[in-house]
Amino acid sequence: MAKGLQGFLWTMLLLFCAIQELGSWAMHTAVEGPGLGEPGDPALLAGGRVKRGWVWNQFFVVEEYTGTEPLYVGKIHSDSDEGDGSIKYTISGEGAGTIFLIDEITGDIHATERLDREQKTFYTLRAQARDRQTDQLLEPESEFIIKVQDINDSEPRFLEGPYIGSVAELSPIGTSVMQVMASDADDPTYGSSARVVYSVLEGEQHFTVDSKTGVIRTAVADLDRETQDRYEVVIRATDMAGQLGGLSGSTTVTIVVTDVNDNPPRFPQKMYQFSIVETAPVGTAIGRVKAEDSDVGENTDMTYQVKDEEGVEMFKVTTDSNTQEAVITVQKPLDYESKKVHTVVVEALNKFVDPRFVDLGTFRDQTIVRVSVLDVDEPPEFRPPSNLMEVQEDAHVGSVVGVVTALDPDTANHPVRYAIDRSTDAERIFDIDAKTGAIVTGKVLDRETAGWHNITVLAMEADNHSQVSRASLRIRILDVNDNPPELATPYEAAVCEDAKPGQLIQTISVVDRDEPQSGHRFYFTLAPEAANNHHFSLLDIQDNTAAVHTQRVGFNRQEQDVYLLPILVVDSGPPALSSTGTLTIRVCGCDSSGAIQSCNSTAYVVSATLSPGALIALLVCVLILVVLVLLILTLKRHHKSHLTSEDDEDMRDNVIKYNDEGGGEQDTEAYDMSALRSLYDFSEIKAGDGGGGPGEGGPGRNPASELHALPQWVQSPDLDFSVFRDYICRKVEQADEDLSVPPYDSFQTYAFEGSDSPVPSLSSINTWSSGSEQDFSYLGGWGPRFRQLAALYAGRRGEEDSEES
């Protein structure tokens, strides 16, 4: 069918081209002369006749030619061609010789290849007419165009796919969704090959498309995202304006239905049940409920609230923003004994309501939440919760201060026992009856020592002491007038010798440790023993103070320099208490202005004989003497410690360093030997050991002298090593007993020879004589510290024995 249609199209196109060619030929023959000269040709004749030049038709070639023979394009001809073959026609330019071939004799042009207008719409060539014999141009070279004539060989294509659009659900009919565009590669200026129309192949039940613009619109008004949220619509584009034989292309458009808030929240259940213990603290979460909403996104955001009054008082509902759940929490303490079940009405409503869909119904829903309170064994509760008691400070030990009461709130109503937390009453001032809760005094009270006592009372179940309640109790000690008033300070006053009668000497006030509720009121009077006093008078000022005045003219401190005035002070009670205080009055010498100079005869005499400057100088001298004595004692102590350290000095700690190289053992001028010899008292050694006998150095010898006592070698033909052996043994014992320091190398003490020593060196290693009979096997018993020394001597002895043998 397709091949037949294509052959029909080719036939129609060939007929069309033939008709065009005949029309052009008719036009050519209608003009006088065989051809038209090009503009500007000089061959213009008088009388308006034009000389003819090139003659050809306008050339067209049909694209996509599938015939087996070359396709005839057209013919070029010169009016000078007489048909005898003397003119040779040639062409050059685009496709000349490859795509287009020309007959050199007739000028016929043929297309040898299949052309595609969508790749190239026309070809520009140049024509030449030459003399075949001389190859000279007979006509000027002229340019012509071969146009590729379009056929409908390209189908429309949707180049911007894939297409994805969206439309809100419940949109009205005709709502624009999106626009699609198809492109046709055919020539839009020739025929209808590029005229495209659109239609819906699939999805026409819900959507339509404008045939000219490609705009897709809704075809129904009841698109529901909750029913179907996506549609696949196939759009077809057909060229030739949709006529029979037009080519077409299609694309799939995905249309997403977006959500609107058209669904109210709904609780899946009309009743929820939760349980919680009665001891749950405020803020404890009881449970979660959630209303379902078919919408998506922010259209599902909800808020929850408690609707009934009882629920508002006892519970609180918050919204979890992540899960959109209602979280029910405790707002007030629960009590199983008061109410076992609570009913709460919870309402859910959308946060964002679209006013366009209000007529669809209310966008809220309610459910009932039943909260069951579980009973637990609770500690006793204090009733009433008053925490203040009062007691008189003169209450006897064992007096009742007050009674605390606690009850078991559980249904079982277990008996309650009471106790006092002794960490709050370490002195055991109060006791409590374990059964009745009566608080009694345990010691004598004193408000002036402690006016308040804060104790903690414990109430617990009699058979379960782990259920304990605590109550803080404040006990106020009420005041009793048990302290007499006293003078505020030990008052001392002064009166001038020339004082006049009625002169104010001192104002007196008193203190009282008691604090009566009505306030203090004190009364002043002279003590009975001062009733016959004619020197001073006492006036009660009625404001808890009194004034002392002189009652005579002038005083003589030589006769009496001090007066003691006893004053009786009485409080207002009850009962009224009193005390007697003494005011000391000194008679002083005053100047003319009344300023006191001195207040006793002794001070007056001292001031006349010794001035304050002299007193200060005397004190400075005494201080200097004390400093000098302390300095002398310190110097003596330092000197004594220095002498002691010199006595204890060990020769091994006295190393004399010199950096110049000496001349050997024979060089006695290199350094002063007396510096070394002065460290030892050789006379003491000689006197003490009696010639260095071995029996003189027993264990009872003083260790202090051992630090300095080195045996003096004497010139004797028989060498006796017993002195050294004993000395080294003592040193070894001392080193073994002192474990805090490493042992000294005792051999460095023999670094010099004594005077007139018959041997060159005391070093046993360097001056070993093969003739010595000394046995050093005992070195192995000196312990691990001398193991290396014993090995050296034992090895040397073995070599000597082998040589002798």
Side-chain angles (χ1 to χ4, degrees):
M1 179 68 182
K3 290 183 178 180
L5 179 59
Q6 190 174 8
F8 174 75
L9 291 175
W10 280 114
T11 304
M12 295 295 295
L13 286 173
L14 291 175
L15 290 175
F16 179 75
C17 292
I19 292 172
Q20 268 194 332
E21 187 174 356
L22 292 175
S24 299
W25 178 257
M27 291 178 62
H28 168 67
T29 55
V31 178
E32 187 177 352
L36 292 175
E38 289 186 352
D41 194 311
L44 294 176
L45 302 177
R49 194 172 170 185
V50 181
K51 182 182 178 183
R52 306 303 183 191
W54 286 106
V55 178
W56 57 64
N57 300 320
Q58 186 174 9
F59 301 123
F60 293 92
V61 61
V62 179
E63 66 171 337
E64 302 296 343
Y65 173 71
T66 58
T68 58
E69 297 295 331
L71 179 62
Y72 178 75
V73 176
K75 180 184 183 70
I76 61 174
H77 182 70
S78 174
D79 56 357
S80 60
D81 187 2
E82 297 179 354
D84 56 358
S86 61
I87 296 178
K88 181 177 71 174
Y89 296 98
T90 60
I91 59 175
S92 62
E94 295 177 337
T98 56
I99 300 175
F100 301 102
L101 298 178
I102 187 172
D103 190 321
E104 295 181 352
I105 298 175
T106 62
D108 294 331
I109 300 174
H110 292 80
T112 61
E113 295 183 7
R114 182 177 179 179
L115 303 181
D116 187 359
R117 192 205 65 84
E118 285 71 31
Q119 293 182 357
K120 192 172 180 63
T121 58
F122 63 90
Y123 294 85
T124 302
L125 296 96
R126 290 176 297 278
Q128 296 176 350
R130 295 178 179 272
D131 185 277
R132 186 177 296 274
Q133 299 297 328
T134 63
D135 200 29
Q136 291 183 355
L137 284 175
L138 301 179
E139 299 286 350
E141 185 180 70
S142 181
E143 185 178 273
F144 64 97
I145 295 174
I146 300 177
K147 291 185 177 182
V148 181
Q149 194 170 18
D150 183 48
I151 64 172
N152 190 19
D153 60 341
S154 297
E155 71 277 3
R157 296 178 182 272
F158 293 92
L159 303 179
E160 298 179 1
Y163 294 93
I164 299 177
S166 63
V167 63
E169 62 177 333
L170 301 181
S171 295
I173 297 175
T175 300
S176 175
V177 179
M178 65 180 303
Q179 183 181 19
V180 295
M181 294 284 294
S183 168
D184 195 321
D186 292 326
D187 188 0
T189 62
Y190 178 75
S192 300
S193 298
R195 290 182 58 189
V196 178
V197 294
Y198 301 94
S199 61
V200 179
L201 284 183
E202 296 180 11
E204 63 275 7
Q205 305 91 335
H206 302 95
F207 299 96
T208 61
V209 63
D210 189 290
S211 61
K212 295 181 179 179
T213 62
V215 175
I216 302 174
R217 303 179 184 276
T218 57
V220 293
D222 58 351
L223 291 177
D224 187 9
R225 188 203 64 82
E226 288 74 30
T227 303
Q228 185 174 351
D229 62 350
R230 184 183 299 266
Y231 292 89
E232 303 290 338
V233 180
V234 179
I235 303 297
R236 180 174 62 184
T238 307
D239 59 11
M240 298 294 292
Q243 297 177 4
L244 183 63
L247 303 180
S248 63
S250 63
T251 186
T252 300
V253 180
T254 301
I255 300 177
V256 179
V257 181
T258 59
D259 184 59
V260 296
N261 193 9
D262 59 337
N263 293 282
R266 290 289 180 262
F267 283 103
Q269 302 173 215
K270 288 302 178 182
M271 179 177 291
Y272 296 86
Q273 292 189 353
F274 299 101
S275 60
I276 188 171
V277 295
E278 60 177 331
T279 56
V282 173
T284 303
I286 300 174
R288 293 171 174 246
V289 296
K290 182 178 181 181
E292 301 295 340
D293 193 331
S294 301
D295 297 321
V296 293
E298 67 175 11
N299 294 325
T300 61
D301 292 349
M302 300 183 208
T303 57
Y304 297 88
Q305 58 187 4
V306 179
K307 294 300 292 182
D308 60 310
E309 295 182 359
E310 177 191 359
V312 170
E313 182 180 0
M314 298 298 298
F315 303 98
K316 180 181 178 181
V317 176
T318 58
T319 304
D320 188 331
S321 59
N322 295 325
T323 62
Q324 297 300 317
E325 293 177 316
V327 182
I328 306 171
T329 57
V330 178
Q331 185 161 298
K332 289 183 66 176
L334 303 173
D335 187 12
Y336 172 82
E337 289 71 26
S338 300
K339 192 168 185 178
K340 299 179 178 59
V341 178
H342 296 268
T343 301
V344 184
V345 178
V346 178
E347 182 180 68
L349 62 156
N350 281 130
K351 249 185 205 181
F352 309 104
V353 178
D354 194 332
R356 297 176 299 172
F357 308 107
V358 173
D359 55 345
L360 296 179
T362 176
F363 282 79
R364 61 183 63 200
D365 194 21
Q366 292 183 351
T367 188
I368 297 175
V369 178
R370 291 173 56 88
V371 180
S372 300
V373 182
L374 304 179
D375 186 27
V376 295
D377 190 6
E378 298 176 274
E381 295 179 355
F382 286 92
R383 299 175 184 176
S386 175
N387 61 350
L388 177 61
M389 292 184 180
E390 296 179 344
V391 60
Q392 296 283 345
E393 67 173 321
D394 59 350
H396 298 290
V397 175
S399 300
V400 177
V401 179
V403 179
V404 294
T405 304
L407 300 176
D408 185 7
D410 299 324
T411 307
N413 194 16
H414 298 96
V416 179
R417 297 293 179 262
Y418 303 92
I420 294 178
D421 186 354
R422 289 304 172 185
S423 63
T424 61
D425 185 26
E427 299 179 0
R428 295 183 175 271
I429 299 176
F430 300 97
D431 293 322
I432 189 170
D433 189 290
K435 294 183 178 180
T436 63
I439 298 176
V440 298
T441 58
K443 290 184 177 180
V444 176
L445 305 176
D446 185 10
R447 189 204 63 83
E448 287 71 32
T449 303
W452 289 88
H453 295 273
N454 297 320
I455 64 174
T456 300
V457 179
L458 309 178
M460 63 201 78
E461 295 181 2
D463 55 351
N464 186 7
H465 288 182
S466 62
Q467 296 295 332
V468 180
S469 294
R470 297 172 178 266
S472 297
L473 186 62
R474 302 172 67 237
I475 300 177
R476 179 182 180 183
I477 309 302
L478 300 179
D479 184 47
V480 174
N481 191 25
D482 57 349
N483 293 281
E486 299 175 351
L487 294 181
T489 61
Y491 286 104
E492 289 190 5
V495 60
C496 295
E497 287 183 301
D498 57 351
K500 298 178 181 180
Q503 183 175 340
L504 177 63
I505 299 175
Q506 182 69 45
T507 300
I508 297 172
S509 62
V510 297
V511 293
D512 193 336
R513 297 175 63 191
D514 295 323
E515 293 183 359
Q517 295 182 356
S518 59
H520 291 288
R521 179 69 180 92
F522 302 110
Y523 304 94
F524 300 87
T525 182
L526 292 177
E529 58 267 26
N532 298 325
N533 168 58
H534 300 290
H535 306 291
F536 306 98
S537 63
L538 179 67
L539 176 62
D540 190 344
I541 307 178
Q542 304 296 321
D543 62 351
N544 293 335
T545 61
V548 179
H549 298 82
T550 58
Q551 212 174 13
R552 54 175 278 188
V553 178
F555 294 88
N556 189 349
R557 58 177 170 170
Q558 299 298 330
E559 296 178 358
Q560 186 175 354
D561 59 349
V562 176
Y563 291 90
L564 302 177
L565 185 64
I567 300 174
L568 179 65
V569 184
V570 183
D571 62 15
S572 58
L577 301 179
S578 64
S579 68
T580 300
T582 301
L583 172 64
T584 302
I585 304 174
R586 297 184 182 276
V587 180
C588 302
C590 304
D591 58 11
S592 59
S593 63
I596 296 175
Q597 297 296 320
S598 62
C599 291
N600 52 66
S601 58
T602 304
Y604 179 78
V605 173
V606 172
S607 63
T609 58
L610 191 62
S611 64
L615 288 174
I616 292 173
L618 181 61
L619 290 176
V620 170
C621 292
V622 172
L623 182 60
I624 292 174
L625 289 175
V626 172
V627 171
L628 288 175
V629 171
L630 293 176
L631 182 60
I632 291 171
L633 292 175
T634 302
L635 291 174
K636 285 185 176 182
R637 180 175 297 177
H638 179 71
H639 182 64
K640 185 181 293 184
S641 63
H642 180 68
L643 292 177
T644 304
S645 63
E646 288 183 353
D647 294 340
D648 296 338
E649 186 175 10
D650 195 343
M651 71 172 184
R652 289 169 293 185
D653 296 332
N654 292 272
V655 180
I656 297 177
K657 298 181 180 179
Y658 54 93
N659 298 325
D660 54 336
E661 184 176 357
E665 295 183 355
Q666 301 302 325
D667 186 4
T668 59
E669 304 296 333
Y671 56 89
D672 187 6
M673 294 294 292
S674 62
L676 296 175
R677 293 172 181 170
S678 64
L679 299 175
Y680 308 99
D681 188 0
F682 293 101
S683 61
E684 179 183 352
I685 300 174
K686 293 178 181 180
D689 59 8
E696 301 291 336
R701 193 169 180 179
N702 186 9
S705 64
E706 294 173 5
L707 297 175
H708 304 281
L710 290 177
Q712 178 75 24
W713 281 88
V714 296
Q715 296 181 2
S716 175
D718 297 328
L719 300 178
D720 186 4
F721 291 94
S722 61
V723 175
F724 294 99
R725 182 169 58 253
D726 295 339
Y727 178 76
I728 292 175
C729 287
R730 288 195 301 273
K731 291 299 182 181
V732 170
E733 291 176 359
Q734 292 179 6
D736 289 340
E737 291 175 358
D738 188 3
L739 301 179
S740 62
V741 295
Y744 289 103
D745 185 4
S746 299
F747 289 97
Q748 68 178 345
T749 60
Y750 312 117
F752 65 94
E753 298 175 356
S755 60
D756 300 329
S757 176
V759 296
S761 174
L762 292 178
S763 174
S764 302
I765 298 175
N766 296 331
T767 61
W768 181 265
S769 175
S770 62
S772 176
E773 298 295 334
Q774 180 68 31
D775 184 10
F776 292 98
S777 61
Y778 61 87
L779 294 177
W782 285 7
R785 298 186 179 182
F786 295 91
R787 185 177 297 135
Q788 185 68 23
L789 183 63
L792 291 174
Y793 277 82
R796 183 76 181 190
R797 185 66 179 177
E799 292 176 2
E800 182 180 343
D801 293 343
S802 63
E803 290 176 1
E804 291 178 357
S805 62

